[in-house]
Amino acid sequence: MSNDGFAALPDPPYYAVIFTSQRSATDDNDGYTAMANQMENMARSHPGCIGMESSRNENGFGITVSYWRDEASILDWKSDAKHLVAQQLGKERWYRHYTLRVSKVERQYDGPAGR
């Protein structure tokens, strides 16, 4: 990741997994932060992961975008045993609502000069 929070990515195409969530509680008595940090570290080192960007506000609304070389890498990460445990805990304890989107990135522009 670059110093300003943006993932340093190769030229497209690649895939983006966009995880948008609303926490069910904003305190951390239930281990959320430790698990989130562990999942981020594991995802970053997982074969095919090429970067990640994440943000969460004080009300518990967050967006994490992980970038992947190909769909096979995404499916492999989705089925990782420790990731499956985190997914289940998220459904049971940590998220009031979430949306997951997978998209193929065809173009990328950087600014402010842009294209």
Side-chain angles (χ1 to χ4, degrees):
M1 181 176 287
S2 66
N3 291 335
D4 55 8
F6 291 94
L9 298 169
D11 289 336
Y14 50 82
Y15 288 83
V17 175
I18 306 154
F19 181 69
T20 307
S21 62
Q22 178 63 55
R23 287 284 316 274
S24 55
T26 55
D27 65 356
D28 192 38
N29 295 331
D30 56 2
Y32 173 80
T33 300
M35 181 65 84
N37 290 338
Q38 181 182 13
M39 290 300 105
E40 179 179 351
N41 291 334
M42 286 177 57
R44 286 182 183 279
S45 64
H46 197 83
C49 183
I50 57 174
M52 187 176 294
E53 299 164 341
S54 189
S55 182
R56 184 168 300 280
N57 72 15
E58 66 279 354
N59 296 320
F61 180 81
I63 300 173
T64 298
V65 184
S66 58
Y67 300 98
W68 299 84
R69 173 184 63 224
D70 53 36
E71 285 186 282
S73 299
I74 295 168
L75 292 172
D76 190 54
W77 168 242
K78 181 182 178 185
S79 65
D80 178 274
K82 290 181 182 176
H83 187 211
L84 289 170
V85 169
Q87 290 172 46
Q88 190 60 40
L89 287 170
K91 291 173 186 176
E92 293 172 359
R93 296 186 198 174
W94 296 325
Y95 298 118
R96 187 169 72 218
H97 183 76
Y98 66 87
T99 302
L100 185 110
R101 299 171 179 98
V102 179
S103 63
K104 185 174 184 181
V105 177
E106 298 285 349
R107 285 178 297 285
Q108 168 185 310
Y109 307 104
D110 295 304
R115 23 197 261 196

mmCIF file of all heavy atoms in Angstrom, residues 4-44:
data_model
loop_
_atom_site.group_PDB
_atom_site.id
_atom_site.type_symbol
_atom_site.label_atom_id
_atom_site.label_comp_id
_atom_site.label_asym_id
_atom_site.label_seq_id
_atom_site.Cartn_x
_atom_site.Cartn_y
_atom_site.Cartn_z
ATOM 1 N N ASP A 4 -0.297 7.039 1.162
ATOM 2 C CA ASP A 4 -1.532 7.798 1.315
ATOM 3 C C ASP A 4 -2.768 6.915 1.429
ATOM 4 O O ASP A 4 -3.888 7.413 1.389
ATOM 5 C CB ASP A 4 -1.694 8.793 0.169
ATOM 6 C CG ASP A 4 -1.617 8.147 -1.201
ATOM 7 O OD1 ASP A 4 -1.591 6.901 -1.284
ATOM 8 O OD2 ASP A 4 -1.586 8.876 -2.200
ATOM 9 N N GLY A 5 -2.620 5.624 1.576
ATOM 10 C CA GLY A 5 -3.750 4.725 1.774
ATOM 11 C C GLY A 5 -4.266 4.047 0.522
ATOM 12 O O GLY A 5 -5.098 3.158 0.604
ATOM 13 N N PHE A 6 -3.799 4.478 -0.645
ATOM 14 C CA PHE A 6 -4.237 3.854 -1.886
ATOM 15 C C PHE A 6 -3.372 2.639 -2.197
ATOM 16 O O PHE A 6 -2.148 2.684 -2.058
ATOM 17 C CB PHE A 6 -4.131 4.842 -3.062
ATOM 18 C CG PHE A 6 -5.108 5.963 -2.980
ATOM 19 C CD1 PHE A 6 -4.755 7.170 -2.391
ATOM 20 C CD2 PHE A 6 -6.393 5.830 -3.489
ATOM 21 C CE1 PHE A 6 -5.650 8.217 -2.310
ATOM 22 C CE2 PHE A 6 -7.302 6.870 -3.412
ATOM 23 C CZ PHE A 6 -6.926 8.063 -2.818
ATOM 24 N N ALA A 7 -3.993 1.558 -2.620
ATOM 25 C CA ALA A 7 -3.253 0.355 -2.999
ATOM 26 C C ALA A 7 -2.477 0.619 -4.286
ATOM 27 O O ALA A 7 -2.996 1.236 -5.214
ATOM 28 C CB ALA A 7 -4.209 -0.812 -3.202
ATOM 29 N N ALA A 8 -1.246 0.189 -4.321
ATOM 30 C CA ALA A 8 -0.430 0.275 -5.531
ATOM 31 C C ALA A 8 -0.780 -0.937 -6.386
ATOM 32 O O ALA A 8 -0.470 -2.072 -6.024
ATOM 33 C CB ALA A 8 1.052 0.284 -5.173
ATOM 34 N N LEU A 9 -1.445 -0.716 -7.496
ATOM 35 C CA LEU A 9 -1.993 -1.813 -8.298
ATOM 36 C C LEU A 9 -1.361 -1.856 -9.683
ATOM 37 O O LEU A 9 -0.919 -0.825 -10.200
ATOM 38 C CB LEU A 9 -3.514 -1.642 -8.433
ATOM 39 C CG LEU A 9 -4.278 -1.684 -7.118
ATOM 40 C CD1 LEU A 9 -5.713 -1.233 -7.326
ATOM 41 C CD2 LEU A 9 -4.231 -3.078 -6.518
ATOM 42 N N PRO A 10 -1.374 -3.029 -10.292
ATOM 43 C CA PRO A 10 -0.894 -3.136 -11.665
ATOM 44 C C PRO A 10 -1.924 -2.551 -12.629
ATOM 45 O O PRO A 10 -3.050 -2.221 -12.241
ATOM 46 C CB PRO A 10 -0.754 -4.647 -11.868
ATOM 47 C CG PRO A 10 -1.814 -5.223 -10.979
ATOM 48 C CD PRO A 10 -1.844 -4.313 -9.769
ATOM 49 N N ASP A 11 -1.553 -2.453 -13.885
ATOM 50 C CA ASP A 11 -2.529 -2.047 -14.890
ATOM 51 C C ASP A 11 -3.627 -3.105 -14.979
ATOM 52 O O ASP A 11 -3.362 -4.295 -14.849
ATOM 53 C CB ASP A 11 -1.855 -1.901 -16.256
ATOM 54 C CG ASP A 11 -0.932 -0.690 -16.312
ATOM 55 O OD1 ASP A 11 -1.144 0.257 -15.534
ATOM 56 O OD2 ASP A 11 0.008 -0.702 -17.128
ATOM 57 N N PRO A 12 -4.875 -2.678 -15.200
ATOM 58 C CA PRO A 12 -5.981 -3.623 -15.370
ATOM 59 C C PRO A 12 -5.750 -4.500 -16.596
ATOM 60 O O PRO A 12 -4.949 -4.131 -17.460
ATOM 61 C CB PRO A 12 -7.189 -2.718 -15.567
ATOM 62 C CG PRO A 12 -6.795 -1.401 -14.978
ATOM 63 C CD PRO A 12 -5.324 -1.293 -15.218
ATOM 64 N N PRO A 13 -6.448 -5.618 -16.673
ATOM 65 C CA PRO A 13 -7.591 -5.997 -15.833
ATOM 66 C C PRO A 13 -7.169 -6.742 -14.570
ATOM 67 O O PRO A 13 -6.136 -7.408 -14.526
ATOM 68 C CB PRO A 13 -8.402 -6.909 -16.749
ATOM 69 C CG PRO A 13 -7.376 -7.562 -17.621
ATOM 70 C CD PRO A 13 -6.296 -6.515 -17.825
ATOM 71 N N TYR A 14 -8.007 -6.602 -13.562
ATOM 72 C CA TYR A 14 -7.918 -7.362 -12.324
ATOM 73 C C TYR A 14 -9.308 -7.298 -11.692
ATOM 74 O O TYR A 14 -10.220 -6.678 -12.246
ATOM 75 C CB TYR A 14 -6.829 -6.829 -11.387
ATOM 76 C CG TYR A 14 -6.880 -5.346 -11.131
ATOM 77 C CD1 TYR A 14 -7.734 -4.791 -10.183
ATOM 78 C CD2 TYR A 14 -6.045 -4.488 -11.843
ATOM 79 C CE1 TYR A 14 -7.779 -3.437 -9.958
ATOM 80 C CE2 TYR A 14 -6.075 -3.119 -11.621
ATOM 81 C CZ TYR A 14 -6.941 -2.602 -10.681
ATOM 82 O OH TYR A 14 -6.985 -1.254 -10.449
ATOM 83 N N TYR A 15 -9.486 -7.933 -10.559
ATOM 84 C CA TYR A 15 -10.799 -7.998 -9.915
ATOM 85 C C TYR A 15 -10.795 -7.231 -8.601
ATOM 86 O O TYR A 15 -9.772 -7.161 -7.916
ATOM 87 C CB TYR A 15 -11.201 -9.453 -9.660
ATOM 88 C CG TYR A 15 -11.564 -10.173 -10.931
ATOM 89 C CD1 TYR A 15 -10.587 -10.726 -11.744
ATOM 90 C CD2 TYR A 15 -12.892 -10.270 -11.338
ATOM 91 C CE1 TYR A 15 -10.916 -11.364 -12.928
ATOM 92 C CE2 TYR A 15 -13.233 -10.903 -12.517
ATOM 93 C CZ TYR A 15 -12.241 -11.439 -13.306
ATOM 94 O OH TYR A 15 -12.583 -12.061 -14.478
ATOM 95 N N ALA A 16 -11.963 -6.688 -8.261
ATOM 96 C CA ALA A 16 -12.158 -5.996 -6.989
ATOM 97 C C ALA A 16 -13.292 -6.682 -6.236
ATOM 98 O O ALA A 16 -14.354 -6.935 -6.803
ATOM 99 C CB ALA A 16 -12.505 -4.531 -7.226
ATOM 100 N N VAL A 17 -13.044 -6.997 -4.977
ATOM 101 C CA VAL A 17 -14.083 -7.501 -4.079
ATOM 102 C C VAL A 17 -14.393 -6.358 -3.123
ATOM 103 O O VAL A 17 -13.520 -5.901 -2.384
ATOM 104 C CB VAL A 17 -13.617 -8.753 -3.316
ATOM 105 C CG1 VAL A 17 -14.670 -9.183 -2.302
ATOM 106 C CG2 VAL A 17 -13.298 -9.880 -4.281
ATOM 107 N N ILE A 18 -15.625 -5.871 -3.171
ATOM 108 C CA ILE A 18 -16.035 -4.695 -2.412
ATOM 109 C C ILE A 18 -16.954 -5.160 -1.283
ATOM 110 O O ILE A 18 -18.065 -5.637 -1.533
ATOM 111 C CB ILE A 18 -16.747 -3.681 -3.325
ATOM 112 C CG1 ILE A 18 -15.858 -3.361 -4.529
ATOM 113 C CG2 ILE A 18 -17.141 -2.432 -2.548
ATOM 114 C CD1 ILE A 18 -16.618 -2.918 -5.749
ATOM 115 N N PHE A 19 -16.476 -5.030 -0.062
ATOM 116 C CA PHE A 19 -17.226 -5.454 1.117
ATOM 117 C C PHE A 19 -17.648 -4.206 1.880
ATOM 118 O O PHE A 19 -16.815 -3.501 2.453
ATOM 119 C CB PHE A 19 -16.366 -6.361 1.996
ATOM 120 C CG PHE A 19 -17.072 -6.872 3.219
ATOM 121 C CD1 PHE A 19 -18.103 -7.791 3.114
ATOM 122 C CD2 PHE A 19 -16.709 -6.426 4.481
ATOM 123 C CE1 PHE A 19 -18.764 -8.266 4.246
ATOM 124 C CE2 PHE A 19 -17.358 -6.892 5.617
ATOM 125 C CZ PHE A 19 -18.385 -7.810 5.490
ATOM 126 N N THR A 20 -18.934 -3.915 1.857
ATOM 127 C CA THR A 20 -19.506 -2.762 2.543
ATOM 128 C C THR A 20 -20.303 -3.288 3.727
ATOM 129 O O THR A 20 -21.102 -4.213 3.568
ATOM 130 C CB THR A 20 -20.424 -1.977 1.584
ATOM 131 O OG1 THR A 20 -19.694 -1.674 0.398
ATOM 132 C CG2 THR A 20 -20.914 -0.699 2.221
ATOM 133 N N SER A 21 -20.078 -2.710 4.903
ATOM 134 C CA SER A 21 -20.725 -3.275 6.092
ATOM 135 C C SER A 21 -21.100 -2.207 7.107
ATOM 136 O O SER A 21 -20.490 -1.145 7.165
ATOM 137 C CB SER A 21 -19.795 -4.293 6.757
ATOM 138 O OG SER A 21 -18.602 -3.663 7.201
ATOM 139 N N GLN A 22 -22.102 -2.556 7.897
ATOM 140 C CA GLN A 22 -22.488 -1.759 9.054
ATOM 141 C C GLN A 22 -22.314 -2.641 10.276
ATOM 142 O O GLN A 22 -22.941 -3.694 10.380
ATOM 143 C CB GLN A 22 -23.946 -1.297 8.949
ATOM 144 C CG GLN A 22 -24.428 -0.510 10.149
ATOM 145 C CD GLN A 22 -23.655 0.784 10.339
ATOM 146 O OE1 GLN A 22 -23.576 1.593 9.433
ATOM 147 N NE2 GLN A 22 -23.069 0.964 11.511
ATOM 148 N N ARG A 23 -21.434 -2.226 11.180
ATOM 149 C CA ARG A 23 -21.220 -2.983 12.412
ATOM 150 C C ARG A 23 -22.469 -2.979 13.262
ATOM 151 O O ARG A 23 -23.203 -1.995 13.316
ATOM 152 C CB ARG A 23 -20.075 -2.364 13.227
ATOM 153 C CG ARG A 23 -18.668 -2.575 12.696
ATOM 154 C CD ARG A 23 -18.124 -3.964 12.932
ATOM 155 N NE ARG A 23 -18.374 -4.493 14.257
ATOM 156 C CZ ARG A 23 -17.609 -4.275 15.322
ATOM 157 N NH1 ARG A 23 -16.524 -3.542 15.236
ATOM 158 N NH2 ARG A 23 -17.923 -4.806 16.483
ATOM 159 N N SER A 24 -22.710 -4.073 13.964
ATOM 160 C CA SER A 24 -23.841 -4.142 14.873
ATOM 161 C C SER A 24 -23.515 -3.485 16.208
ATOM 162 O O SER A 24 -24.407 -3.077 16.933
ATOM 163 C CB SER A 24 -24.266 -5.596 15.085
ATOM 164 O OG SER A 24 -23.175 -6.362 15.518
ATOM 165 N N ALA A 25 -22.245 -3.364 16.523
ATOM 166 C CA ALA A 25 -21.793 -2.675 17.733
ATOM 167 C C ALA A 25 -20.443 -2.048 17.412
ATOM 168 O O ALA A 25 -19.659 -2.601 16.648
ATOM 169 C CB ALA A 25 -21.653 -3.648 18.893
ATOM 170 N N THR A 26 -20.156 -0.899 17.982
ATOM 171 C CA THR A 26 -18.904 -0.225 17.670
ATOM 172 C C THR A 26 -17.830 -0.458 18.721
ATOM 173 O O THR A 26 -16.698 -0.061 18.530
ATOM 174 C CB THR A 26 -19.126 1.281 17.474
ATOM 175 O OG1 THR A 26 -19.767 1.802 18.629
ATOM 176 C CG2 THR A 26 -19.970 1.551 16.240
ATOM 177 N N ASP A 27 -18.164 -1.100 19.849
ATOM 178 C CA ASP A 27 -17.109 -1.418 20.803
ATOM 179 C C ASP A 27 -16.394 -2.684 20.340
ATOM 180 O O ASP A 27 -16.792 -3.318 19.380
ATOM 181 C CB ASP A 27 -17.657 -1.580 22.221
ATOM 182 C CG ASP A 27 -18.600 -2.768 22.361
ATOM 183 O OD1 ASP A 27 -18.900 -3.429 21.350
ATOM 184 O OD2 ASP A 27 -19.043 -3.032 23.488
ATOM 185 N N ASP A 28 -15.314 -3.034 21.003
ATOM 186 C CA ASP A 28 -14.541 -4.186 20.551
ATOM 187 C C ASP A 28 -14.403 -5.231 21.648
ATOM 188 O O ASP A 28 -13.367 -5.857 21.794
ATOM 189 C CB ASP A 28 -13.167 -3.748 20.051
ATOM 190 C CG ASP A 28 -12.465 -4.886 19.311
ATOM 191 O OD1 ASP A 28 -13.150 -5.629 18.586
ATOM 192 O OD2 ASP A 28 -11.253 -5.054 19.501
ATOM 193 N N ASN A 29 -15.448 -5.436 22.404
ATOM 194 C CA ASN A 29 -15.406 -6.439 23.460
ATOM 195 C C ASN A 29 -15.510 -7.853 22.910
ATOM 196 O O ASN A 29 -15.333 -8.810 23.637
ATOM 197 C CB ASN A 29 -16.530 -6.192 24.474
ATOM 198 C CG ASN A 29 -16.327 -4.895 25.204
ATOM 199 O OD1 ASN A 29 -15.201 -4.448 25.381
ATOM 200 N ND2 ASN A 29 -17.411 -4.273 25.624
ATOM 201 N N ASP A 30 -15.805 -7.969 21.637
ATOM 202 C CA ASP A 30 -16.051 -9.281 21.057
ATOM 203 C C ASP A 30 -14.967 -9.746 20.094
ATOM 204 O O ASP A 30 -15.156 -10.693 19.360
ATOM 205 C CB ASP A 30 -17.414 -9.285 20.368
ATOM 206 C CG ASP A 30 -17.526 -8.190 19.313
ATOM 207 O OD1 ASP A 30 -16.542 -7.451 19.083
ATOM 208 O OD2 ASP A 30 -18.603 -8.081 18.717
ATOM 209 N N GLY A 31 -13.818 -9.067 20.060
ATOM 210 C CA GLY A 31 -12.703 -9.527 19.250
ATOM 211 C C GLY A 31 -12.719 -9.112 17.798
ATOM 212 O O GLY A 31 -11.919 -9.606 17.003
ATOM 213 N N TYR A 32 -13.591 -8.174 17.437
ATOM 214 C CA TYR A 32 -13.708 -7.790 16.034
ATOM 215 C C TYR A 32 -12.385 -7.254 15.457
ATOM 216 O O TYR A 32 -11.941 -7.685 14.397
ATOM 217 C CB TYR A 32 -14.809 -6.743 15.848
ATOM 218 C CG TYR A 32 -14.835 -6.197 14.446
ATOM 219 C CD1 TYR A 32 -15.445 -6.899 13.423
ATOM 220 C CD2 TYR A 32 -14.206 -4.991 14.133
ATOM 221 C CE1 TYR A 32 -15.447 -6.425 12.125
ATOM 222 C CE2 TYR A 32 -14.212 -4.505 12.844
ATOM 223 C CZ TYR A 32 -14.827 -5.224 11.846
ATOM 224 O OH TYR A 32 -14.808 -4.748 10.567
ATOM 225 N N THR A 33 -11.772 -6.316 16.147
ATOM 226 C CA THR A 33 -10.567 -5.676 15.613
ATOM 227 C C THR A 33 -9.450 -6.686 15.404
ATOM 228 O O THR A 33 -8.782 -6.675 14.363
ATOM 229 C CB THR A 33 -10.107 -4.534 16.534
ATOM 230 O OG1 THR A 33 -11.156 -3.567 16.615
ATOM 231 C CG2 THR A 33 -8.851 -3.867 15.997
ATOM 232 N N ALA A 34 -9.255 -7.571 16.350
ATOM 233 C CA ALA A 34 -8.202 -8.585 16.203
ATOM 234 C C ALA A 34 -8.482 -9.479 15.001
ATOM 235 O O ALA A 34 -7.564 -9.776 14.217
ATOM 236 C CB ALA A 34 -8.089 -9.419 17.479
ATOM 237 N N MET A 35 -9.737 -9.901 14.835
ATOM 238 C CA MET A 35 -10.072 -10.762 13.700
ATOM 239 C C MET A 35 -9.931 -9.998 12.386
ATOM 240 O O MET A 35 -9.411 -10.531 11.404
ATOM 241 C CB MET A 35 -11.477 -11.330 13.843
ATOM 242 C CG MET A 35 -11.885 -12.251 12.704
ATOM 243 S SD MET A 35 -10.901 -13.784 12.607
ATOM 244 C CE MET A 35 -11.774 -14.783 13.807
ATOM 245 N N ALA A 36 -10.389 -8.746 12.354
ATOM 246 C CA ALA A 36 -10.280 -7.950 11.129
ATOM 247 C C ALA A 36 -8.822 -7.779 10.731
ATOM 248 O O ALA A 36 -8.470 -7.905 9.541
ATOM 249 C CB ALA A 36 -10.952 -6.592 11.327
ATOM 250 N N ASN A 37 -7.956 -7.506 11.704
ATOM 251 C CA ASN A 37 -6.525 -7.368 11.409
ATOM 252 C C ASN A 37 -5.920 -8.675 10.913
ATOM 253 O O ASN A 37 -5.120 -8.689 9.975
ATOM 254 C CB ASN A 37 -5.771 -6.867 12.637
ATOM 255 C CG ASN A 37 -6.094 -5.434 12.970
ATOM 256 O OD1 ASN A 37 -6.541 -4.659 12.123
ATOM 257 N ND2 ASN A 37 -5.888 -5.061 14.228
ATOM 258 N N GLN A 38 -6.314 -9.777 11.532
ATOM 259 C CA GLN A 38 -5.819 -11.084 11.102
ATOM 260 C C GLN A 38 -6.271 -11.387 9.675
ATOM 261 O O GLN A 38 -5.483 -11.850 8.853
ATOM 262 C CB GLN A 38 -6.295 -12.176 12.055
ATOM 263 C CG GLN A 38 -5.800 -13.552 11.665
ATOM 264 C CD GLN A 38 -6.332 -14.645 12.589
ATOM 265 O OE1 GLN A 38 -7.247 -14.450 13.385
ATOM 266 N NE2 GLN A 38 -5.743 -15.817 12.472
ATOM 267 N N MET A 39 -7.539 -11.117 9.367
ATOM 268 C CA MET A 39 -8.050 -11.382 8.013
ATOM 269 C C MET A 39 -7.365 -10.496 6.975
ATOM 270 O O MET A 39 -7.036 -10.956 5.879
ATOM 271 C CB MET A 39 -9.570 -11.180 7.953
ATOM 272 C CG MET A 39 -10.370 -12.229 8.694
ATOM 273 S SD MET A 39 -10.102 -13.908 8.050
ATOM 274 C CE MET A 39 -9.038 -14.583 9.339
ATOM 275 N N GLU A 40 -7.118 -9.234 7.320
ATOM 276 C CA GLU A 40 -6.416 -8.356 6.390
ATOM 277 C C GLU A 40 -5.015 -8.883 6.097
ATOM 278 O O GLU A 40 -4.597 -8.963 4.936
ATOM 279 C CB GLU A 40 -6.329 -6.936 6.942
ATOM 280 C CG GLU A 40 -5.582 -6.010 5.996
ATOM 281 C CD GLU A 40 -5.482 -4.579 6.483
ATOM 282 O OE1 GLU A 40 -6.124 -4.218 7.485
ATOM 283 O OE2 GLU A 40 -4.746 -3.814 5.826
ATOM 284 N N ASN A 41 -4.295 -9.258 7.136
ATOM 285 C CA ASN A 41 -2.940 -9.790 6.941
ATOM 286 C C ASN A 41 -2.949 -11.087 6.133
ATOM 287 O O ASN A 41 -2.100 -11.285 5.257
ATOM 288 C CB ASN A 41 -2.249 -10.008 8.287
ATOM 289 C CG ASN A 41 -1.934 -8.711 8.981
ATOM 290 O OD1 ASN A 41 -1.763 -7.668 8.346
ATOM 291 N ND2 ASN A 41 -1.869 -8.743 10.299
ATOM 292 N N MET A 42 -3.905 -11.955 6.436
ATOM 293 C CA MET A 42 -4.000 -13.216 5.690
ATOM 294 C C MET A 42 -4.366 -12.967 4.230
ATOM 295 O O MET A 42 -3.790 -13.585 3.329
ATOM 296 C CB MET A 42 -5.023 -14.139 6.338
ATOM 297 C CG MET A 42 -4.558 -14.769 7.632
ATOM 298 S SD MET A 42 -5.864 -15.779 8.400
ATOM 299 C CE MET A 42 -6.255 -16.931 7.100
ATOM 300 N N ALA A 43 -5.323 -12.080 3.987
ATOM 301 C CA ALA A 43 -5.739 -11.794 2.612
ATOM 302 C C ALA A 43 -4.584 -11.201 1.823
ATOM 303 O O ALA A 43 -4.320 -11.608 0.683
ATOM 304 C CB ALA A 43 -6.938 -10.849 2.596
ATOM 305 N N ARG A 44 -3.874 -10.247 2.410
ATOM 306 C CA ARG A 44 -2.746 -9.611 1.718
ATOM 307 C C ARG A 44 -1.670 -10.618 1.320
ATOM 308 O O ARG A 44 -1.005 -10.433 0.312
ATOM 309 C CB ARG A 44 -2.129 -8.520 2.585
ATOM 310 C CG ARG A 44 -2.968 -7.270 2.667
ATOM 311 C CD ARG A 44 -2.250 -6.211 3.509
ATOM 312 N NE ARG A 44 -3.050 -5.024 3.679
ATOM 313 C CZ ARG A 44 -3.163 -4.048 2.786
ATOM 314 N NH1 ARG A 44 -2.532 -4.144 1.644
ATOM 315 N NH2 ARG A 44 -3.912 -2.994 3.044
#
